Amino acid sequence: IRTQTVEDDSKNQEIASTTLQWVERQYLGQQFSGLHSFSFLGDDELSWRIGFAQSSRYEPDRRSYQYGRGLNTNQPLRLLGSVERRYSDLTENVYDLGVDYQSDIMLDDILFRLKTGLMYNVKDREVDLARYSNRAITDPAVDTSLTLEEILTAENIADRYVVFLGSTTDTDDYEATDETLAYYVSAELDLGSVSVLAGGRLESFSQEIKYPNQDSSNSKLDESKFLPALSAVWRMNDEAQV
């Protein structure tokens, strides 16, 4: 339960806002990985990982409403506008795969290190959300200074003093997916006091959002980038390097 009272000078009102919320969160994850050493080009290592995770957020009922009165008055607080009730359910799955290969090759007194690998990651999310709210209560037969339990009674609803309507928008429910595929390769020469490394990463990314109730709002993003890398290190002595 969260309650906040503020003085709104623009509306000349004292407003007390209340939110009652219950949320359940859950996370499950599992990862498998391995490291293998062998001699093919030199001293070689192959590492891999496979992972899965699922997170969920369940909100079975969220209520928010406001009571207000004129500033610097002794009037009772009265219900302002409508009471919103919201129900939502979110589930997200993540799949991850990665492979890396490294080889250390000695060329006389020079170390040549080769690295390469790939990564594949997929996330998919599904959200279901529903909102309901009542029309503003203006009939004088209902005392809006009472508590919600005394206002939102079965009798007042049956007499249509209180009318509830669905206020869910067409974009409240959605399905989203993002997918990343990346490759990298690098080569390093270690000459003792000097080492030089060059490499690059190619990354492809796509993201798509679908609204089952409003196809015209669907959107998709596709992007590919090449990210180069170049570095050099000079070890001047045991205590300093550039």
Side-chain angles (χ1 to χ4, degrees), residues 16-84:
S17 302
T18 302
T19 300
L20 293 88
Q21 185 180 35
W22 174 267
V23 177
E24 299 174 14
R25 293 183 176 89
Q26 177 176 278
Y27 173 81
L28 300 171
Q30 178 66 58
Q31 181 169 339
F32 300 93
S33 61
L35 176 64
H36 310 275
S37 300
F38 54 93
S39 296
F40 177 59
L41 299 175
D43 293 329
D44 303 322
E45 283 187 353
L46 177 70
S47 60
W48 57 270
R49 67 183 184 279
I50 299 174
F52 167 77
Q54 183 184 79
S55 57
S56 62
R57 181 185 186 276
Y58 177 54
E59 188 179 47
D61 195 359
R62 179 184 186 272
R63 308 180 192 183
S64 57
Y65 56 90
Q66 292 182 328
Y67 275 75
R69 64 184 169 194
L71 282 177
N72 304 316
T73 66
N74 294 322
Q75 299 173 354
L77 288 166
R78 294 185 177 276
L79 181 65
L80 301 176
S82 60
V83 179
E84 182 188 74

Side-chain angles (χ1 to χ4, degrees), residues 53-184:
Q54 183 184 79
S55 57
S56 62
R57 181 185 186 276
Y58 177 54
E59 188 179 47
D61 195 359
R62 179 184 186 272
R63 308 180 192 183
S64 57
Y65 56 90
Q66 292 182 328
Y67 275 75
R69 64 184 169 194
L71 282 177
N72 304 316
T73 66
N74 294 322
Q75 299 173 354
L77 288 166
R78 294 185 177 276
L79 181 65
L80 301 176
S82 60
V83 179
E84 182 188 74
R85 301 189 69 173
R86 187 175 77 187
Y87 308 84
S88 66
D89 191 5
L90 179 154
T91 302
E92 181 173 279
N93 297 311
V94 180
Y95 307 90
D96 183 70
L97 168 68
V99 179
D100 296 282
Y101 173 77
Q102 175 179 313
S103 181
D104 290 345
I105 304 169
M106 294 301 300
L107 306 172
D108 295 329
D109 294 330
I110 300 174
L111 172 63
F112 177 68
R113 175 169 291 159
L114 175 67
K115 290 184 179 181
T116 186
L118 67 86
M119 182 272 289
Y120 180 65
N121 181 275
V122 177
K123 299 177 184 177
D124 63 70
R125 173 182 291 186
E126 183 175 352
V127 175
D128 296 312
L129 189 149
R131 307 175 196 263
Y132 301 90
S133 58
N134 60 286
R135 292 175 180 167
I137 301 171
T138 57
D139 196 303
V142 179
D143 183 359
T144 54
S145 67
L146 298 176
T147 65
L148 283 184
E149 288 74 14
E150 294 170 311
I151 296 173
L152 306 181
T153 62
E155 292 78 9
N156 284 340
I157 294 174
D159 293 336
R160 299 191 64 80
Y161 295 136
V162 179
V163 178
F164 279 94
L165 302 171
S167 55
T168 309
T169 68
D170 290 340
T171 55
D172 279 337
D173 293 352
Y174 69 89
E175 299 172 0
T177 303
D178 81 47
E179 182 176 0
T180 303
L181 177 62
Y183 308 88
Y184 79 90

Side-chain angles (χ1 to χ4, degrees), residues 181-197:
L181 177 62
Y183 308 88
Y184 79 90
V185 61
S186 70
E188 179 182 1
L189 276 177
D190 189 342
L191 306 174
S193 60
V194 175
S195 61
V196 180
L197 181 144

Side-chain angles (χ1 to χ4, degrees), residues 181-227:
L181 177 62
Y183 308 88
Y184 79 90
V185 61
S186 70
E188 179 182 1
L189 276 177
D190 189 342
L191 306 174
S193 60
V194 175
S195 61
V196 180
L197 181 144
R201 174 185 172 96
L202 177 63
E203 183 173 296
S204 297
F205 171 79
S206 66
Q207 184 180 77
E208 185 173 14
I209 301 177
K210 294 181 179 180
Y211 299 98
N213 301 317
Q214 188 171 321
D215 292 342
S216 60
S217 295
N218 293 353
S219 62
K220 187 173 183 179
L221 171 68
D222 286 297
E223 189 175 67
S224 295
K225 286 186 177 181
F226 176 70
L227 309 171

